[in-house]
Amino acid sequence: MVPSRKNMVLVDGVILNGPTTDAKAGERFVEDACRLIMEEVVLKATDIREKNLTINSYHIDHLSYCKSLKVCEWRPPEELKRLLDLELRDAGEPHHRLLERCQDIIRYSVKTNHPRFFNQLYAGLDYYSLVARFMTEALNPSVYTYEVSPVFLLVEEAVLKKMIEFIGWKEGDGIFNPGGSVSNMYAMNLARYKYCPDIKEKGLSGLPRLILFTSAECHYSMKKSASFLGIGTENVCFVETDGRGKMIPEELEKRVQEAEKEGAAPFLVCATSGTTVLGAFDPLDEIADICERHGLWLHVDASWGGSALMSRKHRRLLQGIHRADSVAWNPHKMLMAGIQCCAFLVKDKSDLLKRCYSANASYLFQQDKFYDVSYDTGDKSIQCSRRPDAFKFWMAWKALGTLGLEERVNRALALSSVLAWGEIHPGGRADEIQVHYVLMEFISLTCMNIEGFIGTSMEKPEYANICFWYIPPSLRQMEEGPEFWAKLHLVAPAIKERMMKKGSLMLGYQPHRGKVNFFRQVVISPQVSREDMDFLLDEIDLLGRDM
Amino acid sequence: MVPSRKNMVLVDGVILNGPTTDAKAGERFVEDACRLIMEEVVLKATDIREKNLTINSYHIDHLSYCKSLKVCEWRPPEELKRLLDLELRDAGEPHHRLLERCQDIIRYSVKTNHPRFFNQLYAGLDYYSLVARFMTEALNPSVYTYEVSPVFLLVEEAVLKKMIEFIGWKEGDGIFNPGGSVSNMYAMNLARYKYCPDIKEKGLSGLPRLILFTSAECHYSMKKSASFLGIGTENVCFVETDGRGKMIPEELEKRVQEAEKEGAAPFLVCATSGTTVLGAFDPLDEIADICERHGLWLHVDASWGGSALMSRKHRRLLQGIHRADSVAWNPHKMLMAGIQCCAFLVKDKSDLLKRCYSANASYLFQQDKFYDVSYDTGDKSIQCSRRPDAFKFWMAWKALGTLGLEERVNRALALSSVLAWGEIHPGGRADEIQVHYVLMEFISLTCMNIEGFIGTSMEKPEYANICFWYIPPSLRQMEEGPEFWAKLHLVAPAIKERMMKKGSLMLGYQPHRGKVNFFRQVVISPQVSREDMDFLLDEIDLLGRDM
């Protein structure tokens, strides 16, 4: 790769004049790879759509689609290792071989932007955030000081300001970080610092037992955070929830009082807006009242549900969020900003975040710089290098406007509502679905007070998590009892296996708080339509009808 | 954007059949933006090289280059805000406007891949990792379960395995995570768990004071970690270093003994391989002996220096690293894998990492899956969503081979050596530099036992951090004393300001442990050459010669 040249300068056997890389060849490789990514990933994210504009062509499209574009090309680990040849060797490989590798990696990767990927709380392809992400990778910034990341620091400031506005705070502070779990850690540590600033220097040794409260439906990062921060998982008090998965305020108050009596030190309540499995929203106003009475920090984990704030119709789900002291909100979920895009937001404007987290590294945060060093926000972070995650959300927001983002949220929730309840506009396919797609066998779990299965009155789901069992033919006439539940528990994993091997669809399942395995369907992407909801029901039935 | 169509299905005022996005327009936007990124970022990363192949054309190129391609286009914060119009509004913007925004964002961003960006411990453009990063963004995976990220989990396994081999362990475990700071947190928590597994559940309250040891030259994340983990910054014992910035083993042993006498509980020593400012390497073998004697976990923060392991010539810098219990190593630094690419590696193979970090979320880590769930490694992480950072390093390694990576390390260290010592091969420009570029005025700080400035015998720098003062003409005849130091302290910030405003070059400065502000020059990119080293000296002299 090193062109021979006159005046070669050698030190320690290394040629030092001129670059060692062949830039022209490298650039060509990037261009070729970009073409491949465009064709194999970006264009295929909506491939099926092109042929699927009318309902009448649905079945034909379904067949051709299965042949052409799978959500995943399943291979078991050992086989995939052989196929990919992952080993790293002494010698490098030529560009054409690397391009084949790129193709293989795309081929065997799960297409998370495929319209039938419903497996996680993220999905789809947003063209605008994607461009911002490509720019990020090409520019390779690290966001800690204004001198190195002038644009991205200002972008972060602008995005945080707007998110703070949507929470309903007059002012605030915040930082983008790598995940809702990390945001929750930020909150826990900040609440602890506020409770007792000495902990930063002295640590927890010798202090009374700190205790925090969250709902029994909270994200598992609560336990991880408590463990990581030296608080201990036993000092996370899980407050009971109601039938829909919402924290019961009276239970919270009781548990706080108990802890106080026991001599523990309550310092924090973590409410959840949009629980991971059921999509439940805790009653924030009532929880805020309790926090005020007991002088507790209120953190709202709105990693999943925060996006509802963008919708005038649905933001009532987070009624009272402006009373929180801090909020976690991940635009990489329903707002599709790309993994990861997670904001930790704080109501305090007295520099609490900076006082809590700063370490004043003199090689990075010099105080004798020639510009206003209050723009060097990196010392608020637990990280040193940090990616400009706010930028991808900013780009999508600029492109779509608040109204476009609102429309996405409204659409995802309307589609979820259609899936769960068949609320189709007159002239739609409601009756057809009931006849052909056996919707009756999909029982919503979003209300937990189910007595039997069929015909129970159920509340509307609040958010985009539609949890249901598929009851296969062999169980339809069986009486409810331990045997029934044991058998039903095996159904979702078996269908999931068939689904993965076929590659037609991906959605998740789980057991949850005494309930046997059920599916969780999540709609996010604006590339998903009513037709995909039909497909989902149809396909599960197809995969499970011999069970 | 929504095409009108027959059979429209409306729910809650939202059209639900068909997608809402105009895929064709979105794809065109991505294509246009990719072209822009290619032209404005990727091609320009080596622009100057095209005109700069021979030494004779150096001065001409320098002039034309300054007019055409700056490292940064400096604007103060308030002005830049006005120029960029960052505010987010209700309405979205058309594609042509968004493309102009992309152009502006590139224009005002610091070009960290410019051959004259020496400001941080990362730089340059690696074409292969860049392609992997574009693929990552397009595929948008999250690495926690094999079902969602089959390829990227296996890639991570392969890369960790190889890194473990280079450390010299027979086997091991590890996880990629968002930063060396976070790796150090992983280590601190894991060492604590090993010391007392009950802490995971019980927390630190009521326990004796845990204490850890690191060098006075360590990264600032040690303090951040101790604070975050509830250990407290006062329980970080900073052990004294020698003249080159290396931890003094005898001092370490003394401090451990003192702590034991005081009734504190020593549990961890964090050695540093490649300190942030001076690039010093702690003597690992002697430190490992002490750890063995006292039963302490040895963590090596090789975030910066770990890449020397790739070089048969330079890996002796980390002599003894195989005796560490855990290692932090960031391939995004000298190996140019792109921010962020950081491995936390553990010698233990008894699932200590998993036992310490697991929370067993039932919705993600179901145990009744149809494949071997030991591939679902996400529960080792403090994160939930996690980016496939190993992949970009894997791609570069595949492309360049171990030998290519080794060559990069060797070249960076040879260039550093040239800058500090003018060790030019006979026929090179050593004499010319001495005459025209006043190299005598650049005094290495890598040995701290400087008596005077000129002609002091100094040791060779070990790594790629070249720390020096520039002595401007007005100080050259001045006697050394408080006034001299006070004046010299102002020189680097003043030159830095001029440098940023001109945009010709970026390198960092800092005060450090009683030394007044000095420059720190770091060479990483293979696109950097001997000519750039000349430019650096030349340019600083140009900017500072009236001082």
Side-chain angles (χ1 to χ4, degrees):
Chain A
M1 302 232 291
V2 186
S4 74
R5 63 175 72 92
K6 286 188 249 172
N7 303 321
M8 192 161 77
V9 177
L10 272 172
V11 172
D12 292 345
V14 182
I15 303 165
L16 294 190
N17 47 339
T20 55
T21 49
D22 180 346
K24 279 278 156 276
E27 288 156 10
R28 249 192 328 271
F29 176 65
V30 176
E31 273 168 0
D32 290 345
C34 280
R35 209 168 303 123
L36 183 73
I37 293 167
M38 202 66 204
E39 281 164 20
E40 295 296 316
V41 189
V42 179
L43 299 185
K44 286 194 178 168
T46 52
D47 210 25
I48 176 180
R49 298 283 119 210
E50 298 308 302
K51 300 172 266 169
N52 194 8
L53 283 173
T54 66
I55 288 158
N56 292 341
S57 66
Y58 174 74
H59 284 285
I60 300 158
D61 275 323
H62 174 198
L63 290 174
S64 65
Y65 153 78
C66 282
K67 267 178 254 159
S68 63
L69 187 61
K70 294 181 175 183
V71 179
C72 62
E73 182 72 51
W74 168 263
R75 290 291 184 283
E78 294 308 323
E79 188 187 335
L80 188 54
K81 276 189 218 180
R82 277 194 305 276
L83 282 168
L84 292 175
D85 173 34
L86 298 169
E87 213 187 305
L88 300 163
R89 305 194 179 82
D90 283 352
E93 295 185 350
H95 287 174
H96 69 89
R97 181 75 193 94
L98 294 171
L99 285 172
E100 288 165 12
R101 291 192 174 282
C102 291
Q103 205 141 22
D104 283 347
I105 279 155
I106 293 170
R107 179 170 176 202
Y108 296 112
S109 285
V110 170
K111 311 296 178 292
T112 66
N113 42 38
H114 190 290
R116 271 110 197 224
F117 177 81
F118 304 108
N119 209 70
Q120 315 292 145
L121 301 182
Y122 66 92
L125 179 71
D126 175 77
Y127 298 109
Y128 310 106
S129 73
L130 184 64
V131 162
R133 293 150 76 192
F134 285 165
M135 284 175 67
T136 297
E137 297 305 338
L139 290 166
N140 201 33
S142 180
V143 185
Y144 27 51
T145 62
Y146 184 80
E147 83 184 54
V148 181
S149 273
V151 174
F152 297 116
L153 274 169
L154 296 183
V155 164
E156 181 167 23
E157 184 188 66
V159 175
L160 288 172
K161 188 167 162 249
K162 202 72 183 172
M163 293 176 87
I164 283 164
E165 191 185 310
F166 273 82
I167 288 172
W169 293 333
K170 285 208 186 70
E171 49 178 15
D173 199 355
I175 193 151
F176 275 79
N177 68 75
S181 297
V182 177
S183 287
N184 290 337
M185 288 184 183
Y186 268 98
M188 214 175 270
N189 186 45
L190 192 63
R192 175 169 78 176
Y193 178 76
K194 173 84 178 184
Y195 176 80
C196 173
D198 278 357
I199 292 174
K200 182 174 177 180
E201 284 89 30
K202 307 278 181 195
L204 293 169
S205 163
L207 282 184
R209 190 163 61 90
L210 292 179
I211 188 164
L212 66 105
F213 304 83
T214 187
S215 95
E217 297 276 341
C218 74
H219 189 253
Y220 73 99
S221 58
M222 288 298 154
K223 276 173 100 169
K224 290 219 178 199
S225 305
S227 154
F228 200 58
L229 270 62
I231 290 168
T233 53
E234 287 180 5
N235 297 312
V236 182
C237 175
F238 296 101
V239 178
E240 205 34 71
T241 54
D242 67 13
R244 304 191 71 166
K246 294 165 181 286
M247 191 194 284
I248 303 170
E250 297 73 27
E251 286 292 319
L252 170 63
E253 180 126 42
K254 213 156 65 184
R255 304 298 297 270
V256 171
Q257 285 163 347
E258 281 166 16
E260 282 168 347
K261 261 184 224 154
E262 283 167 13
F267 72 109
L268 167 67
V269 174
C270 290
T272 314
S273 291
T275 60
T276 312
V277 177
L278 302 179
F281 288 75
D282 287 343
L284 300 182
D285 258 329
E286 287 143 281
I287 293 171
D289 289 343
I290 297 168
C291 289
E292 272 175 22
R293 273 202 292 282
H294 294 269
L296 303 175
W297 184 281
L298 173 58
H299 170 64
V300 178
D301 178 1
S303 294
W304 170 222
S307 301
L309 290 169
M310 305 299 295
S311 159
R312 282 162 293 183
K313 182 176 167 61
H314 296 289
R315 60 171 292 130
R316 58 173 173 70
L317 289 166
L318 299 104
Q319 180 65 41
I321 195 167
H322 63 286
R323 299 174 64 188
D325 295 293
S326 60
V327 170
W329 174 2
N330 296 2
H332 79 226
K333 296 187 167 28
M334 195 174 277
L335 299 174
M336 300 175 61
I339 288 170
Q340 286 156 313
C341 184
C342 309
F344 172 62
L345 301 135
V346 190
K347 191 196 272 168
D348 172 275
K349 231 342 211 181
S350 75
D351 252 357
L352 188 72
L353 190 61
K354 190 163 175 196
R355 278 181 283 134
C356 176
Y357 284 96
S358 63
N360 307 311
S362 66
Y363 77 95
L364 205 51
F365 304 111
Q366 304 92 323
Q367 296 302 302
D368 54 3
K369 287 179 179 171
F370 66 97
Y371 59 85
D372 175 2
V373 293
S374 74
Y375 285 97
D376 290 359
T377 58
D379 214 14
K380 290 180 191 174
S381 169
I382 58 166
Q383 301 176 271
C384 181
S385 295
R386 189 166 64 94
R387 296 172 54 87
D389 292 332
F391 175 49
K392 40 196 178 180
F393 186 33
W394 180 85
M395 185 69 101
W397 202 328
K398 272 286 187 196
L400 300 165
T402 306
L403 296 174
L405 295 175
E406 178 182 40
E407 191 195 335
R408 281 204 184 157
V409 174
N410 288 346
R411 183 177 158 96
L413 296 189
L415 270 176
S416 307
S417 161
V418 163
L419 176 64
W421 301 97
E423 282 186 335
I424 312 295
H425 188 270
R429 296 178 59 227
D431 295 341
E432 191 188 336
I433 286 171
Q434 298 235 344
V435 176
H436 297 297
Y437 296 87
V438 214
L439 237 190
M440 295 280 278
E441 287 150 17
F442 296 82
I443 308 297
S444 171
L445 240 189
T446 46
C447 82
M448 304 291 279
N449 57 352
I450 299 166
E451 297 288 326
F453 285 123
I454 316 290
T456 311
S457 86
M458 284 175 282
E459 294 178 75
K460 272 183 104 167
E462 287 187 314
Y463 206 49
N465 310 41
I466 308 303
C467 297
F468 61 90
W469 285 296
Y470 168 74
I471 317 288
S474 71
L475 295 183
R476 285 175 201 173
Q477 305 308 325
M478 198 170 175
E479 208 159 306
E480 195 239 295
E483 198 196 333
F484 173 87
W485 290 111
K487 287 197 165 168
L488 187 58
H489 187 58
L490 305 174
V491 170
I495 290 179
K496 179 71 179 261
E497 176 172 0
R498 292 178 180 184
M499 179 191 296
M500 295 286 296
K501 288 181 173 168
K502 186 174 171 191
S504 54
L505 176 72
M506 272 182 77
L507 84 165
Y509 75 86
Q510 63 277 298
H512 186 65
R513 309 196 72 213
K515 304 281 171 196
V516 303
N517 279 322
F518 56 87
F519 286 114
R520 181 192 63 167
Q521 161 69 5
V522 179
V523 180
I524 288 172
S525 165
Q527 279 132 24
V528 169
S529 68
R530 238 286 310 272
E531 294 85 337
D532 295 300
M533 299 299 97
D534 293 345
F535 177 83
L536 169 84
L537 302 180
D538 211 20
E539 183 69 8
I540 290 177
D541 188 47
L542 193 68
L543 295 167
R545 66 168 60 144
D546 66 342
M547 289 182 185
Chain B
M1 302 229 294
V2 185
S4 75
R5 63 174 72 90
K6 284 188 246 172
N7 302 322
M8 192 161 77
V9 176
L10 272 172
V11 171
D12 292 345
V14 182
I15 303 165
L16 294 191
N17 48 337
T20 54
T21 49
D22 180 346
K24 279 278 155 277
E27 288 156 12
R28 251 194 324 273
F29 175 66
V30 176
E31 274 168 0
D32 290 346
C34 280
R35 208 168 304 121
L36 183 74
I37 293 167
M38 201 67 206
E39 281 165 20
E40 294 297 316
V41 188
V42 178
L43 299 185
K44 286 193 177 169
T46 52
D47 210 25
I48 176 179
R49 298 283 119 212
E50 298 308 301
K51 300 173 266 170
N52 195 9
L53 283 172
T54 66
I55 288 158
N56 291 341
S57 64
Y58 174 74
H59 284 285
I60 299 158
D61 276 323
H62 174 198
L63 290 174
S64 65
Y65 153 79
C66 282
K67 265 178 255 160
S68 64
L69 186 62
K70 294 180 176 183
V71 180
C72 61
E73 183 71 50
W74 169 262
R75 292 291 183 284
E78 295 307 323
E79 187 187 337
L80 189 52
K81 277 189 218 180
R82 277 194 304 276
L83 282 168
L84 292 176
D85 173 33
L86 297 169
E87 212 187 305
L88 300 163
R89 304 193 178 84
D90 283 351
E93 294 185 351
H95 287 174
H96 69 88
R97 181 76 193 92
L98 294 171
L99 284 172
E100 287 165 14
R101 290 193 174 282
C102 291
Q103 205 141 22
D104 283 348
I105 280 155
I106 293 170
R107 180 171 176 202
Y108 296 112
S109 285
V110 170
K111 310 296 179 293
T112 67
N113 42 37
H114 190 289
R116 270 108 198 226
F117 177 81
F118 304 108
N119 209 70
Q120 315 292 144
L121 301 182
Y122 66 91
L125 179 71
D126 175 77
Y127 299 109
Y128 310 106
S129 73
L130 184 64
V131 162
R133 293 151 75 192
F134 285 166
M135 284 174 68
T136 296
E137 297 305 339
L139 290 166
N140 201 33
S142 179
V143 186
Y144 27 52
T145 62
Y146 185 80
E147 82 184 54
V148 181
S149 273
V151 174
F152 298 115
L153 274 170
L154 296 182
V155 164
E156 180 167 23
E157 184 189 66
V159 175
L160 288 171
K161 187 167 165 251
K162 202 72 184 171
M163 293 176 87
I164 283 164
E165 191 185 309
F166 273 82
I167 288 171
W169 294 333
K170 284 207 187 71
E171 50 179 12
D173 199 356
I175 193 151
F176 276 79
N177 68 74
S181 297
V182 177
S183 288
N184 290 336
M185 288 184 182
Y186 268 98
M188 214 174 269
N189 186 45
L190 192 62
R192 175 169 77 176
Y193 178 76
K194 173 87 176 178
Y195 175 80
C196 173
D198 278 357
I199 292 174
K200 181 174 177 179
E201 283 90 30
K202 306 278 182 198
L204 294 168
S205 164
L207 282 183
R209 191 163 60 89
L210 292 178
I211 189 164
L212 66 105
F213 305 83
T214 186
S215 95
E217 297 276 343
C218 75
H219 189 251
Y220 72 99
S221 58
M222 289 298 155
K223 276 173 100 169
K224 291 219 179 199
S225 304
S227 155
F228 200 58
L229 270 62
I231 290 167
T233 52
E234 287 180 5
N235 297 312
V236 182
C237 175
F238 297 101
V239 178
E240 205 33 72
T241 54
D242 67 13
R244 304 192 71 167
K246 295 166 182 283
M247 191 194 284
I248 303 170
E250 298 72 27
E251 287 292 322
L252 170 63
E253 180 126 42
K254 213 158 65 185
R255 302 299 297 270
V256 171
Q257 285 162 347
E258 281 167 16
E260 283 167 348
K261 261 184 225 154
E262 284 169 12
F267 73 108
L268 167 68
V269 174
C270 290
T272 313
S273 291
T275 60
T276 312
V277 177
L278 302 179
F281 287 76
D282 287 344
L284 299 183
D285 258 329
E286 287 144 281
I287 292 172
D289 289 342
I290 296 167
C291 289
E292 272 175 23
R293 274 202 292 282
H294 293 270
L296 303 175
W297 183 282
L298 174 57
H299 171 65
V300 177
D301 179 2
S303 294
W304 170 222
S307 300
L309 290 169
M310 304 299 295
S311 159
R312 282 161 293 182
K313 183 177 166 62
H314 296 289
R315 60 172 291 129
R316 59 172 173 70
L317 288 166
L318 298 104
Q319 179 67 40
I321 194 166
H322 63 287
R323 298 175 65 189
D325 295 292
S326 61
V327 171
W329 175 1
N330 296 1
H332 79 227
K333 295 187 163 40
M334 195 174 277
L335 298 175
M336 299 175 60
I339 289 170
Q340 285 156 314
C341 185
C342 309
F344 171 63
L345 301 135
V346 189
K347 192 197 272 169
D348 172 276
K349 231 336 212 185
S350 74
D351 252 358
L352 188 72
L353 191 59
K354 191 165 174 195
R355 277 181 283 133
C356 176
Y357 284 97
S358 63
N360 306 310
S362 65
Y363 77 94
L364 204 52
F365 305 111
Q366 304 91 324
Q367 296 302 301
D368 55 2
K369 287 179 179 171
F370 67 97
Y371 59 85
D372 176 1
V373 294
S374 73
Y375 285 97
D376 290 358
T377 57
D379 214 15
K380 290 179 190 173
S381 169
I382 57 165
Q383 301 177 270
C384 180
S385 295
R386 190 167 64 95
R387 295 171 55 86
D389 292 332
F391 175 50
K392 41 196 179 180
F393 186 32
W394 180 85
M395 185 69 101
W397 202 327
K398 272 286 185 195
L400 300 165
T402 307
L403 296 173
L405 295 175
E406 178 182 39
E407 190 195 336
R408 282 206 184 156
V409 174
N410 288 347
R411 183 177 158 98
L413 297 188
L415 270 177
S416 306
S417 162
V418 163
L419 176 64
W421 301 96
E423 281 185 336
I424 313 294
H425 187 269
R429 298 176 57 227
D431 295 344
E432 191 188 337
I433 286 171
Q434 299 235 344
V435 176
H436 297 296
Y437 295 88
V438 213
L439 236 191
M440 296 277 279
E441 288 151 14
F442 295 84
I443 308 297
S444 172
L445 239 190
T446 46
C447 84
M448 304 292 279
N449 58 351
I450 299 165
E451 298 287 327
F453 286 123
I454 316 291
T456 311
S457 87
M458 285 176 282
E459 293 178 75
K460 271 184 105 167
E462 286 186 313
Y463 206 51
N465 311 42
I466 308 304
C467 298
F468 60 91
W469 287 294
Y470 168 75
I471 317 287
S474 70
L475 296 182
R476 286 176 200 173
Q477 306 308 322
M478 197 170 177
E479 209 159 305
E480 196 240 295
E483 198 197 333
F484 172 87
W485 291 111
K487 287 196 166 170
L488 187 58
H489 187 58
L490 305 174
V491 170
I495 290 179
K496 178 70 179 260
E497 176 172 0
R498 292 177 179 184
M499 179 190 296
M500 294 285 296
K501 289 181 172 168
K502 185 174 172 190
S504 55
L505 177 72
M506 273 182 76
L507 83 165
Y509 75 87
Q510 62 278 297
H512 186 66
R513 309 196 72 214
K515 303 282 172 195
V516 304
N517 279 322
F518 55 88
F519 286 113
R520 180 192 63 168
Q521 159 69 5
V522 179
V523 179
I524 287 172
S525 166
Q527 279 133 23
V528 169
S529 68
R530 238 288 309 274
E531 294 85 337
D532 295 299
M533 300 298 98
D534 293 347
F535 177 83
L536 169 85
L537 303 179
D538 210 19
E539 183 69 8
I540 290 177
D541 188 47
L542 193 69
L543 294 167
R545 66 167 61 142
D546 66 343
M547 289 182 185

